[in-house]
Amino acid sequence: MMRVSSELIRKYHLGQCTPEEFAAVEKWLNSTEEEEQKLTGQELEEMSSNAWKGVSPMLEQEAKASTRLHKHITRYATAAIILFTVGFFSYRTLSDNFGVTGTEQSIVLKTINTQRGEKRSVTLSDGSTIQMNYETEIQIPEKFEGNERVVYLTGHAHFDVVRDTKRPFIIYTEDTKTQVLGTSFDINTKEKGVTEVIVTSGEVAFSEKDRADNLVMLTVNDRAALRDDKSIVTDRVNAARVTGWKDNRLIFDGQTFQEIINVLEPWYDVEISVENADLLDDTYKFAKENPSLERVLMQLSFAGRFEYRIEGKSISIF
């Protein structure tokens, strides 16, 4: 097995690795903490700020390939939307935050919440599952009744929906409606004024809640976001990496340190202060499964050449 050294990681970020070397570094970057210990402490300390910074050449290639695929399927988008709208959607009149009115109010919903530092998996009466990220709320019925399966979401969750062609599965947020027959996808309302959907399998219809004509059809690796101005923008992503949080994988691909802090604080239920504001614009690459906070800070500090201090739930970076 090829040994990963600080020199090999340097070549990786300069784009000078052979395919075998590239695969070895990618495997190491996604390894467990125990496997990572195969590098000596001296080698870890030798890693410069380039060790985890930037986006890998492979991801750039994936992005180019995804763009070509997206151009190919765009030709069929308009026809697909029309057919799906006619044959698949049955909109209801809505009110309040999620829009339950009339006889629908007789359906008893239970509310499930997660707090900072908490994730939770919920199995629904039809066998579908919802994996809730931190600071998220869902409202679900004890049992699905009628010809629709309806769930309400605030926050961030991943849905794995059991297929039922006779009963579409619908998720309402404050501003959007996501409808499927059976597939898996991610919905995130955490960014103010934005609701985002990422598809990990199957096909998803995503629309503004009260406008059936403001609709996009999405397939695997498609991402769509409804903005403040009610426009829907779409692009292509590596869905497996972007939704890695559901498997407790902490993944950053070129995010700034400030963006990383915004994730780490609720993920670990801590408060992070940074004395040197210049550090906040640095970008990093990082991917670990079930990482401890200490491990995350140690690796980022090697890359960013900063020091840190942990005191309970308070982290100081200087």
Side-chain angles (χ1 to χ4, degrees):
M1 180 177 178
M2 185 176 296
R3 180 173 175 78
V4 177
S5 65
S6 56
E7 175 60 23
L8 187 56
I9 293 177
R10 186 189 69 81
K11 287 176 62 180
Y12 169 85
H13 287 285
L14 291 175
Q16 298 173 350
C17 284
T18 65
E20 293 77 12
E21 290 172 334
F22 185 92
V25 176
E26 284 279 296
K27 182 178 180 180
W28 182 82
L29 287 170
N30 290 280
S31 65
T32 64
E33 293 181 17
E34 290 76 13
E35 291 170 334
E36 183 183 301
Q37 293 303 320
K38 293 177 182 178
L39 276 179
T40 67
Q42 181 179 356
E43 285 174 323
L44 285 172
E45 291 176 1
E46 289 173 354
M47 292 178 187
S48 68
S49 59
N50 288 327
W52 279 276
K53 292 183 181 180
V55 182
S56 74
M58 180 174 286
L59 288 177
E60 293 177 3
Q61 293 171 7
E62 289 175 355
K64 292 177 182 178
S66 295
T67 299
R68 291 194 296 269
L69 176 61
H70 192 58
K71 289 179 179 178
H72 178 71
I73 65 174
T74 299
R75 284 179 259 171
Y76 307 102
T78 302
I81 291 172
I82 294 172
L83 289 172
F84 194 87
T85 303
V86 172
F88 189 59
F89 270 82
S90 57
Y91 271 76
R92 298 183 296 186
T93 303
L94 305 171
S95 67
D96 303 324
N97 283 342
F98 290 113
V100 182
T101 64
T103 58
E104 295 168 15
Q105 290 181 333
S106 63
I107 299 176
V108 178
L109 299 175
K110 64 179 180 179
T111 300
I112 301 174
N113 297 281
T114 55
Q115 307 303 315
R116 283 170 60 97
E118 178 187 9
K119 297 182 183 68
R120 183 172 181 178
S121 180
V122 177
T123 300
L124 306 180
S125 61
D126 67 338
S128 299
T129 59
I130 304 175
Q131 292 172 277
M132 302 170 63
N133 206 349
Y134 53 77
E135 297 180 313
T136 292
E137 177 180 293
I138 58 172
Q139 291 179 289
I140 59 175
E142 289 288 348
K143 183 178 180 181
F144 290 120
E145 303 286 353
N147 57 5
E148 292 178 340
R149 298 171 288 169
V150 178
V151 172
Y152 306 98
L153 169 72
T154 302
H156 188 190
H158 187 272
F159 295 80
D160 193 350
V161 177
V162 172
R163 187 170 181 81
D164 185 342
T165 58
K166 295 181 179 179
R167 293 192 303 166
F169 193 101
I170 301 171
I171 302 96
Y172 288 110
T173 69
E174 184 174 354
D175 299 311
T176 67
K177 176 179 181 178
T178 302
Q179 182 163 328
V180 304
L181 294 177
T183 184
S184 56
F185 51 95
D186 205 80
I187 302 180
N188 192 351
T189 71
K190 287 185 178 292
E191 184 180 344
K192 186 175 181 181
V194 177
T195 298
E196 180 182 271
V197 173
I198 299 171
V199 182
T200 52
S201 72
E203 187 176 50
V204 171
F206 178 66
S207 68
E208 186 180 349
K209 185 177 68 176
D210 297 322
R211 283 186 55 193
D213 61 324
N214 193 12
L215 168 90
V216 294
M217 292 293 298
L218 308 171
T219 58
V220 179
N221 292 326
D222 280 342
R223 174 171 60 186
L226 179 72
R227 303 293 181 181
D228 257 338
D229 62 1
K230 305 306 179 184
S231 64
I232 297 178
V233 296
T234 62
D235 65 346
R236 298 279 289 173
V237 297
N238 184 325
R241 293 181 75 91
V242 177
T243 64
W245 67 268
K246 65 185 176 60
D247 302 312
N248 211 32
R249 291 179 59 82
L250 197 56
I251 300 174
F252 303 117
D253 273 322
Q255 280 87 351
T256 67
F257 194 35
Q258 180 61 69
E259 291 171 328
I260 290 173
I261 288 172
N262 293 342
V263 172
L264 295 182
E265 287 185 323
W267 185 291
Y268 293 101
D269 190 18
V270 295
E271 299 294 334
I272 299 176
S273 61
V274 180
E275 294 183 10
N276 182 0
D278 292 338
L279 295 172
L280 297 176
D281 292 328
D282 290 342
T283 58
Y284 295 84
K285 174 176 178 172
F286 180 91
K288 287 294 175 192
E289 186 173 349
N290 299 312
S292 65
L293 177 59
E294 177 73 23
R295 177 61 54 180
V296 173
L297 292 173
M298 184 189 74
Q299 293 194 354
L300 293 178
S301 68
F302 289 146
R305 297 186 182 278
F306 60 77
E307 297 180 18
Y308 61 90
R309 181 172 57 251
I310 302 176
E311 296 177 339
K313 292 189 174 185
S314 297
I315 312 298
S316 300
I317 292 175
F318 48 92

